Amino acid sequence: AFAAEDYFDRKTRMEDNDDSLDYYYAIDDDIIRGNRAEEKYEGHEEFCTTPSFYRLYRPTCNEVHSSVGDYQWLMPDKYMPQKHLSRYLGAGHYRQVFRLERQFVSDSDEVIFKSMKRLPPGRKPLEERAAYNPDEVGKNFELYDDMRKDSMVMELLTSSPRIADIYSFCALSSLIEYVPTMLEDYVMPTKGYEPKERDPDDDRTPVNGYINPLEKLQMALEMAKGLATMHGHSGGVIANVDVQIGQFCRGKDGLIKILDFNRAEVLLWDAKEERYCTFLNGVPPDGSLRAPEEIIDAPLTEKIDVYALGNLIYSVLTGLLVNRNFETEKAHRRITHGKTENIDVDYFDSRSPAEMALVKVIQWCWTFDANERPSMFQIVEFLEDEVRKNVYSSQDVY
């Protein structure tokens, strides 16, 4: 098992200082890690051990190479020239995604192939880029580890229907369950531009009004259950750290699933205090969707996912992003001063009890103090209760 120093501002400190001289070094089971938060926040001292699965690494490179080891999968089917064996679906910050015709399970002949983007011409330093440059061997350890974490979390949680299944993984690539419905397109029809003939500051009508209120409530519950699966992992808490609408899709079985975990954080354990350790992530370049404590690089817990879930449910309710009208610097100031999106409570209360339930859970998730913020399990319990009540309600206005 190995650990890499983070090239952002999150270095691992070992009690044996000789080990920290190496960029890549072993973490043995009996090694105690010091949390760097103590260096920045006086009195915040933690000595933490890793859970047994912390460095789980089970690549299946032969399967990956046999599926996408050549360029044939990019070409038309030789028996049906008009049909391709794959289709480009899009790209995130780090990776590009393809739909690939391959059969790993009996009920599906399609999978998703995720691969790291290559560095384009005109190279940039690692800190400024989001692509893989094979020449920068030493600096790529963090990228390898992020992709390892992504696959590790999917494997650990594969029994949950709320997490996309993983079929194969090697280095910077993986083959996972095909989830055909992007919730971002369904929930946010006007993302990137404001709808014509509408002043978002005056018109309170959700831009995704075609989704009935009860369905929105059920979507919020499904998303919360997926995150609760991570927080409630039997081997220890796993924080998502990147909760946003693009990470959620609806699978062929009709369930909403999480499919990206490369920013996931496995929480360490402080045996002396008998509690989970905090972690630091550095100030995000764009934290408009982040929790207040992330913006100031304070010690973090899994509660950052709860705050971000509030942002996500706001998008489900309204069809709009939080902080959409603010530049990054101003958005950061608003978040750190406890400013959130204005929600007309009376308006949504008059529309439907389901939407009012969403308003309540959003405001609860947006609790400024992380210590006072509810757990993901409390959010799930609240939403389950509201779904039960609203299933039998005939008051919803569609």
Side-chain angles (χ1 to χ4, degrees), residues 104-279:
F104 282 83
V105 287
S106 59
D107 60 346
S108 176
D109 58 359
E110 296 174 307
V111 298
I112 285 179
F113 172 49
K114 298 195 292 186
S115 182
M116 189 75 184
K117 291 186 290 188
R118 302 283 291 204
L119 183 66
R123 60 161 54 192
K124 296 180 180 179
L126 186 63
E127 291 80 358
E128 300 176 22
R129 65 177 170 87
Y132 174 69
N133 180 0
D135 295 333
E136 296 181 355
V137 177
K139 292 184 179 180
N140 280 318
F141 280 124
E142 183 68 20
L143 300 179
Y144 277 111
D145 200 52
D146 282 346
M147 304 312 144
R148 180 198 63 81
K149 285 190 298 183
D150 178 71
S151 300
M152 176 192 73
V153 172
M154 293 181 103
E155 179 182 353
L156 289 170
L157 305 180
T158 192
S159 62
S160 171
R162 310 290 174 185
I163 307 298
D165 286 340
I166 184 167
Y167 306 128
S168 194
F169 151 70
C170 184
L172 301 175
S173 301
S174 58
L175 293 160
I176 70 169
E177 176 184 358
Y178 177 54
V179 279
T181 305
M182 292 290 295
L183 289 188
E184 185 172 20
D185 298 335
Y186 181 54
V187 169
M188 304 177 66
T190 63
K191 186 182 178 184
Y193 61 92
E194 291 297 343
K196 295 179 179 179
E197 300 178 0
R198 178 182 186 272
D199 185 343
D201 296 324
D202 296 331
D203 188 350
R204 297 161 295 178
T205 307
V207 299
N208 58 6
Y210 48 82
I211 308 176
N212 77 56
L214 179 56
E215 183 183 355
K216 290 181 179 181
L217 190 60
Q218 292 169 326
M219 289 174 64
L221 173 59
E222 287 196 66
M223 292 171 176
K225 282 185 174 180
L227 294 168
T229 298
M230 299 183 68
H231 292 190
H233 174 53
S234 60
V237 175
I238 304 173
N240 184 280
V241 195
D242 195 21
V243 177
Q244 52 183 301
I245 189 68
Q247 311 287 22
F248 293 82
C249 292
R250 193 177 295 279
K252 288 185 174 182
D253 57 4
L255 296 177
I256 293 176
K257 305 171 186 284
I258 311 176
L259 74 161
D260 198 330
F261 304 92
N262 63 291
R263 284 182 54 85
E265 189 76 32
V266 176
L267 270 61
L268 307 186
W269 179 254
D270 189 331
K272 180 179 179 182
E273 300 295 331
E274 294 189 337
R275 59 177 174 81
Y276 285 102
C277 296
T278 58
F279 61 97

Side-chain angles (χ1 to χ4, degrees), residues 74-91:
L74 290 169
M75 304 302 175
D77 188 321
K78 65 179 180 179
Y79 299 108
M80 300 177 64
Q82 74 279 11
K83 180 182 177 183
H84 280 66
L85 299 177
S86 66
R87 181 165 65 89
Y88 177 73
L89 298 179

Side-chain angles (χ1 to χ4, degrees), residues 42-53:
E42 186 176 353
H44 190 91
E45 183 173 276
E46 298 174 325
F47 290 95
C48 313
T49 55
T50 61
S52 59
F53 65 89

